[in-house]
Amino acid sequence: MPDVTTPSPDMVAAGQPGPGTDREFTVRRRSQSSLVLRRFLQHRLAVVSLGVFLLLVVLSLFGETLWHYKSTDITDDLSVAPSAKHPMGTDSTGHDLLAQVLAGTRISILVALMVAALSTAFGTVFGAISGFYGGRTDALMMRFVDLLLTIPSLAILITLSTLLANGGGDPVTIALILASLSWLSIARVIRGLFLSLREKEYVEAARCLGATDRRIIFRHLLPNAVGPIIVNATITVAFAILAETGLSYLGFGIKFPSTSLGLLISVGQSAASTRPWLFYFPGLVIILIALTINFVGDGLRDALDPQQRRVRA
Amino acid sequence: MSAAFELAPTTDTALLEVTDLSVSFPTDDGLVEAVRGVSYRVNPGEVLGIVGESGSGKSVTSLAIMGLLPQTAQIGGSVKLGGQELVGASYQTMAGLRGRAISMVFQDPISSLNPVYSIGWQLAEAVRAHNDVSKKAALSRAVDLLQLVGIPNAKERAANYPHEFSGGMRQRVVIAMAIANDPDVLIADEPTTALDVTVQAQVLETLDIAREATNAAMILITHDLGVVAGVADRVLVMYAGKPVETGTVDEIYYASQMPYTIGLLNSIPRLDSSTGEELRPIPGSPPSLLHLAPGCPFSPRCSYRIPLCDEQEPALLPVEGADHFAACHVADTLGPQR
Amino acid sequence: MTTEPVLQVRNLVKHFPVRGGGIVRRTVGQIHAVCDVSFDVHQGETLGLVGESGCGKSTTGRAVLNLQPATSGEVLYDGKDVTQLTGNALRAVRRDMQLVFQDPYASLNPRMTINDIVAEPLVIHHLGGSTSARRETVQELLRMVGLNPEHGNRYPHEFSGGQRQRIGIARAMALEPKVLVLDEPVSALDVSIQAGVVNLLEALQDRLGLSYLFIAHDLSVVRHTADRVAVMYLGRIVELAKRDDLFTRPAHPYTRALLSAIPIPDPRKERERKRIVLAGDVPSPAAPPSGCRFRTRCQVFRDQLDDTQRAACIEQQPLLEDRGIGHEVACHYPDVEKVV
């Protein structure tokens, strides 16, 4: 019998891969994030939506400086229909609507992003603690969340708006008010996620090594929860856009001297039949923002958690 | 293409004849050739054991025969059941054959059984899917089947739901469902892998009973060489999507002519081994099916290799023995192993 | 190998409460996972703990390390009772006693690189010096388990099952433990890979003088690696013997049935073997049978005993003791039978 190429009796060779077995890395070395990115890029609708959304953001940030009218400028053209000079027309005071829509978009997006950031931060911490510790702590914290969720949100928002901001005001206050409700659903999702993540074997392994709770939460659980956190954050942005619009429309949100798309709709609503451009342009932009964010959220969700059909070999 | 592997002509009609079956899956990273040319035949009452590790393609082969692969799979070659071609057959044809002429038992009985219907109902449904009988007659046949597979108090237990049975019992129920319509071919894909050893013994006994009751040809797919030794008449060893050795069970275990099979047999710990014998592992790991290098896929791990092994993939050729084939350039020089 | 026990387990009990529904969720029953288990692990030896699913072997392994708090009993290591330790005292003991997990796919954090995973124990216990010194130790550990240290900055999903298990072993070895609890360390691996990992574990034991508690359901692997073997059934140890004794002279009916059921990759032997097939299913651990727990499936109870003898099995729980066989058996009517 031909001699087996005996590896050295060293224990290292007890499992040393044979010659030429670096073939095991034939799958190109890819980190998790580039895999996610690749999957996202295959989702054409999401990519296009992301592009449109970013375009809107850029326009809203820089558009006003580039456009020769400011949102507060009063021109001589009163209630003019859309034309080359005023692509979105003007209102009864002579404000250029395009400039106003740009300004309003900026504020609305700003508020939405702030709401997402605040509620994600708070909701994640709350849900993480509740899900990780479980037991009585979890029961108490979740009953509190359930309680808040049963109260009609609109009622809370209007009440808060009246109490804190005299019925509306600057973007930061409105963002805080909206965030005070939107953290609830994030907390629930993260809590469920942590409840299941903490049962994972690598968490048990960390505990076995002597890791403290703090280390487990920050080093093991949170990095593995990033996916759902991001998806929830995008959902919150979509929610916040529409919520702020609704609140401002009702008159409890952004108020003069700030402007927002909701405010523009509210003001333009009465003229919808005679001067439709005052109503429909801001409305279209709102719809556009909400749609693009939803599609981006879909794409992210698919990229982070692909549904694969497994075939055993 | 194993052109040199000619199936020896037999006097009985081979029940299931697989010729040069190949299956590929398009993936993000390229085309994965899961099965690259498998040929075998099984006769009535015979047990063929297909042995291989993960990635060998053994399960994909049987799923291809049953027509259970996803739409994206590309299937080539031929599968003839009693002369009827299965590859490319219509959905209706396959649905008519599955559960009647050819049945399958899977590894996990939980997923084969519907949790919201009673066992008796599901068995009766399997009968009625292919036979025009009354519900009462089907249910009575269901109880008979449960008795055959050794479920105690079959009549009462027919009304129970899957979650009320233990793992071993569930697998026996699945076997009962598989033989409900007296199939010609029974495929068992890792039927006992998830079960405890004592339960495994019970289920293997049940499979034996099932096979005798129907005189079906049985294909047993597993990675457990001990199970195959006790059950199979013939063995097919698969590696990297291709059969590398086939023969009677004695030929494979005592006179193997393929280094992978030899390596496998040497590396598994045995219950009857003498003390202090060291295990001889096969170095390295199975290759990725994504971009197979030229030559024999086993050569990087093979201790008998010669330069030819890296250049040309060996065909499945006859070696010493009655019906013994091996895909190895140095076969017939390896000598008897036990 | 000296006869000094490095780990002593005495009367270990672990019950899991079964809670009823409703708001208050009172405890309506107990799952008797581990019932009065005692054994020693000696310095440098491998004690195999075997049994089928539900016998309580994994729970025993976790309780020994106090990863699952025991309901009662003691685990004595280095003069201390591990079950009573908490906080920093427990963390100190963790340096000496580690666990190798069964599932190589789930036991590694998918978001951490291999270097981070293996270095984590050093970081937790503030050992190993500076970051670069730690990096060197990690490379040394990876080499020790047969992996290429250059691949240290890759992620777990890029490795095969066998390699991941080696990473898990490297991680467990980072703190230089004295006792390793191995929970089915090769069950999830391909057959041809198992041998390599088993050889590695044996080599490490020889070189570093480790003591192993080797939990497995695969008796063929245990035959190869263990010095002594304990067989568990439904939460109790039913037989405890030196390795060769257990396999050539099994005395408990369950051990005999278990051994006869295990297939051997040898067609001639398989054809000649007599197989003892047990009747029925394993009883629920929430309601174990009275007296001897194995009596509901026992082939001796069924075929060979008369009614007065059976009464003993129904009423008295047999203790684990040497009844003249030469090793400990928990059976009223043990009988040696060669089944392998």
Side-chain angles (χ1 to χ4, degrees):
Chain A
M1 187 163 104
D3 195 351
V4 174
T5 29
T6 339
S8 62
D10 191 43
M11 94 196 72
V12 173
Q16 187 73 29
T21 40
D22 235 28
R23 282 193 199 180
E24 51 208 49
F25 288 114
T26 40
V27 176
R28 248 191 24 249
R29 189 204 147 176
R30 260 191 227 115
S31 70
Q32 298 267 21
S33 6
S34 56
L35 275 169
V36 168
L37 187 65
R38 201 155 165 268
R39 281 200 286 263
F40 181 78
L41 291 173
Q42 287 171 343
H43 204 279
R44 269 190 304 231
L45 190 56
V47 174
V48 168
S49 302
L50 184 62
V52 171
F53 180 72
L54 288 174
L55 184 65
L56 278 172
V57 170
V58 165
L59 278 176
S60 68
L61 283 176
F62 300 111
E64 261 209 293
T65 40
L66 296 175
W67 186 237
H68 43 255
Y69 291 116
K70 298 277 169 284
S71 58
T72 41
D73 285 354
I74 300 186
T75 67
D76 299 321
D77 313 301
L78 303 178
S79 296
V80 166
S83 61
K85 192 173 173 209
H86 297 278
M88 284 194 186
T90 62
D91 69 1
S92 51
T93 340
H95 295 122
D96 176 52
L97 195 61
L98 177 58
Q100 290 201 311
V101 163
L102 285 174
T105 309
R106 189 178 68 244
I107 301 286
S108 291
I109 291 183
L110 193 68
V111 169
L113 291 175
M114 272 197 287
V115 170
L118 286 168
S119 54
T120 303
F122 187 71
T124 303
V125 171
F126 195 90
I129 295 177
S130 183
F132 181 77
Y133 287 105
R136 201 162 259 160
T137 323
D138 173 44
L140 275 169
M141 288 171 94
M142 280 302 118
R143 294 297 86 77
F144 174 64
V145 168
D146 289 340
L147 194 65
L148 285 182
L149 279 171
T150 48
I151 307 175
S153 41
L154 204 53
I156 297 188
L157 290 174
I158 294 179
T159 315
L160 280 174
S161 170
T162 323
L163 289 176
L164 295 175
N166 294 321
D170 65 295
V172 177
T173 321
I174 299 298
L176 279 166
I177 292 175
L178 286 174
S180 70
L181 277 191
S182 57
W183 72 268
L184 293 168
S185 50
I186 294 188
R188 275 245 281 249
V189 169
I190 300 298
R191 172 248 183 196
L193 190 60
F194 267 59
L195 267 181
S196 69
L197 278 180
R198 74 169 180 184
E199 303 300 324
K200 294 266 180 189
E201 222 166 66
Y202 56 82
V203 173
E204 197 183 8
R207 233 188 267 280
C208 184
L209 294 170
T212 53
D213 284 348
R214 198 161 147 256
R215 186 182 171 86
I216 290 179
I217 293 180
F218 284 99
R219 196 75 172 81
H220 290 278
L221 295 177
L222 267 178
N224 281 290
V226 161
I229 290 177
I230 291 181
V231 172
N232 269 283
T234 39
I235 294 177
T236 311
V237 174
F239 155 80
I241 286 275
L242 296 174
E244 179 273 315
T245 303
L247 208 57
S248 306
Y249 175 83
L250 289 173
F252 291 95
I254 305 282
K255 282 228 158 95
F256 189 80
S258 291
T259 182
S260 92
L261 293 170
L263 201 55
L264 289 172
I265 292 185
S266 165
V267 163
Q269 180 206 11
S270 46
S273 43
T274 51
R275 287 167 290 162
W277 60 89
L278 290 178
F279 179 72
Y280 287 107
F281 276 123
L284 277 171
V285 176
I286 293 175
I287 294 177
L288 196 62
I289 298 177
L291 270 181
T292 51
I293 292 185
N294 270 313
F295 288 139
V296 168
D298 269 350
L300 273 175
R301 194 177 14 249
D302 277 346
L304 287 162
D305 179 27
Q307 307 294 346
Q308 274 170 352
R309 285 243 245 142
R310 284 174 31 199
V311 182
R312 289 168 294 142
Chain B
M1 254 286 296
S2 44
F5 177 48
E6 300 248 314
L7 295 169
T10 56
T11 44
D12 336 72
T13 33
L15 214 31
L16 182 70
E17 199 166 320
V18 177
T19 315
D20 210 23
L21 181 66
S22 69
V23 181
S24 310
F25 297 99
T27 65
D28 284 345
D29 296 307
L31 195 69
V32 172
E33 295 174 43
V35 179
R36 306 178 300 123
V38 175
S39 306
Y40 61 80
R41 72 153 54 112
V42 230
N43 298 316
E46 191 184 41
V47 180
L48 173 71
I50 301 186
V51 172
E53 301 173 287
S54 47
S56 59
K58 57 190 195 305
S59 284
V60 176
T61 312
S62 54
L63 288 173
I65 295 173
M66 292 284 285
L68 291 174
L69 287 174
Q71 295 279 35
T72 52
Q74 297 163 6
I75 308 178
S78 140
V79 176
K80 287 214 179 86
L81 178 65
Q84 184 178 17
E85 177 65 56
L86 296 184
V87 173
S90 71
Y91 177 80
Q92 269 82 358
T93 319
M94 288 310 297
L97 290 171
R98 265 181 248 137
R100 187 177 59 80
I102 177 167
S103 318
M104 194 153 171
V105 174
F106 294 92
Q107 173 174 343
D108 188 3
I110 275 288
S111 24
S112 314
L113 293 170
N114 191 327
V116 300
Y117 293 108
S118 74
I119 296 290
W121 192 97
Q122 294 187 52
L123 267 170
E125 198 200 23
V127 172
R128 294 186 75 210
H130 296 279
N131 301 301
D132 193 14
V133 291
S134 68
K135 277 193 204 159
K136 204 153 166 255
L139 200 54
S140 143
R141 170 123 174 95
V143 172
D144 289 338
L145 284 165
L146 286 175
Q147 266 170 345
L148 180 69
V149 297
I151 307 279
N153 303 325
K155 198 140 195 273
E156 286 91 25
R157 299 223 71 185
N160 286 142
Y161 289 83
H163 67 267
E164 297 177 272
F165 288 80
S166 67
M169 294 274 197
R170 277 196 283 260
Q171 197 65 309
R172 289 200 247 182
V173 169
V174 170
I175 294 173
M177 272 172 74
I179 61 166
N181 295 305
D182 205 8
D184 300 319
V185 178
L186 181 61
I187 304 180
D189 191 349
E190 308 259 22
T192 56
T193 304
L195 302 173
D196 281 327
V197 150
T198 50
V199 178
Q200 172 175 282
Q202 291 173 331
V203 171
L204 288 175
E205 198 184 45
T206 309
L207 272 175
D208 217 25
I209 293 173
R211 193 172 47 82
E212 274 173 38
T214 58
N215 200 31
M218 188 159 96
I219 301 175
L220 178 67
I221 301 165
T222 178
H223 65 272
D224 189 333
L225 288 164
V227 167
V228 168
V231 170
D233 301 310
R234 294 182 49 82
V235 178
L236 179 81
V237 180
M238 284 190 72
Y239 187 79
K242 261 193 124 116
V244 292
E245 191 168 14
T246 163
T248 66
V249 68
D250 282 7
E251 279 165 355
I252 299 283
Y253 279 79
Y254 300 121
S256 167
Q257 294 295 317
M258 206 284 162
Y260 173 61
T261 316
I262 297 171
L264 211 55
L265 288 167
N266 282 338
S267 72
I268 46 181
R270 291 170 52 134
L271 201 60
D272 58 343
S273 62
S274 41
T275 42
E277 221 176 82
E278 184 169 288
L279 296 174
R280 322 253 305 276
I282 306 180
S285 35
S288 152
L289 295 171
L290 208 42
H291 303 114
L292 278 174
C296 175
F298 184 63
S299 82
R301 309 169 73 190
C302 184
S303 30
Y304 300 90
R305 73 187 213 273
I306 57 178
L308 182 61
C309 300
D310 286 323
E311 294 159 26
Q312 199 186 71
E313 186 161 11
L316 198 63
L317 297 169
V319 293
E320 198 171 312
D323 199 6
H324 191 178
F325 293 81
C328 180
H329 292 302
V330 299
D332 270 338
T333 64
L334 297 175
Q337 300 304 310
R338 307 272 162 111
Chain C
M1 176 176 115
T2 67
T3 49
E4 185 61 44
V6 69
L7 185 69
Q8 290 172 302
V9 177
R10 294 276 171 274
N11 309 107
L12 192 62
V13 174
K14 177 67 188 167
H15 289 166
F16 292 100
V18 178
R19 294 200 203 283
I23 300 180
V24 180
R25 301 190 78 199
R26 273 169 309 124
T27 305
V28 296
Q30 300 277 356
I31 296 202
H32 303 254
V34 180
C35 298
D36 202 14
V37 162
S38 305
F39 56 83
D40 288 343
V41 179
H42 296 128
Q43 165 66 39
E45 86 163 334
T46 299
L47 175 68
L49 190 60
V50 301
E52 300 180 292
S53 49
C55 71
K57 54 192 194 295
S58 282
T59 313
T60 305
R62 299 269 189 305
V64 162
L65 291 174
N66 203 353
L67 276 175
Q68 282 268 23
T71 309
S72 73
E74 317 178 297
V75 175
L76 298 168
Y77 175 77
D78 201 22
K80 290 174 266 212
D81 183 4
V82 176
T83 59
Q84 303 298 320
L85 297 178
T86 53
N88 283 324
L90 185 58
R91 208 163 284 132
V93 162
R94 288 271 157 76
R95 289 180 53 183
D96 287 341
M97 292 171 48
Q98 273 302 315
L99 179 58
V100 173
F101 291 81
Q102 172 176 2
D103 187 346
Y105 297 90
S107 57
L108 303 179
N109 187 335
R111 302 266 174 185
M112 288 169 74
T113 61
I114 303 307
N115 281 333
D116 288 336
I117 290 176
V118 177
E120 187 173 21
L122 300 171
V123 170
I124 291 175
H125 292 264
H126 310 293
L127 293 172
S130 65
T131 321
S132 54
R134 276 193 197 132
R135 180 58 63 91
E136 295 231 348
T137 314
V138 166
Q139 290 188 334
E140 188 54 52
L141 285 164
L142 289 175
R143 248 179 251 123
M144 183 170 77
V145 298
L147 292 171
N148 187 344
E150 279 169 18
H151 298 145
N153 50 358
R154 297 191 188 219
Y155 289 87
H157 71 268
E158 304 181 62
F159 291 84
S160 69
Q163 291 169 318
R164 282 191 237 201
Q165 197 63 314
R166 288 168 192 267
I167 295 167
I169 294 172
R171 174 179 61 186
M173 300 299 304
L175 295 172
E176 294 178 28
K178 316 260 185 337
V179 177
L180 271 192
V181 176
L182 303 144
D183 189 2
E184 311 240 29
V186 293
S187 311
L189 302 176
D190 265 335
V191 168
S192 65
I193 309 290
Q194 287 186 10
V197 176
V198 168
N199 283 350
L200 171 66
L201 288 169
E202 292 183 325
L204 285 172
Q205 183 179 42
D206 283 338
R207 169 164 132 168
L208 302 168
L210 302 168
S211 315
Y212 287 166
L213 178 64
F214 197 105
I215 301 171
H217 69 271
D218 185 351
L219 273 156
S220 312
V221 175
V222 171
R223 169 114 205 210
H224 184 82
T225 58
D227 299 305
R228 288 187 308 137
V229 183
V231 180
M232 280 186 79
Y233 182 80
L234 215 55
R236 308 187 72 91
I237 296 184
V238 297
E239 193 160 4
L240 177 59
K242 288 219 192 65
R243 186 245 321 262
D244 289 334
D245 253 359
L246 189 93
F247 285 90
T248 53
R249 305 174 58 240
H252 194 284
Y254 176 63
T255 315
R256 292 176 356 228
L258 192 58
L259 288 174
S260 85
I262 296 172
I264 300 178
D266 189 325
R268 274 180 221 130
K269 281 198 179 172
E270 279 287 293
R271 286 194 285 263
E272 287 158 7
R273 266 173 102 189
K274 182 193 87 167
R275 204 152 244 143
I276 303 170
V277 181
L278 292 176
D281 291 320
V282 183
S284 158
S290 64
C292 171
R293 293 182 173 193
F294 184 60
R295 65 177 168 82
T296 55
R297 308 174 74 200
C298 180
Q299 67 273 28
V300 171
F301 185 93
R302 196 177 62 220
D303 302 332
Q304 295 172 25
L305 300 181
D306 61 42
D307 283 329
T308 32
Q309 289 172 315
R310 285 191 185 138
C313 296
I314 299 175
E315 288 155 27
Q316 294 164 20
Q317 199 169 74
L319 296 173
L320 185 70
E321 53 195 15
D322 190 339
R323 294 154 201 266
I325 307 263
H327 58 256
E328 295 176 332
V329 194
C331 180
H332 293 303
Y333 308 101
D335 190 16
V336 171
E337 184 185 350
K338 192 170 166 69
V339 284
V340 175

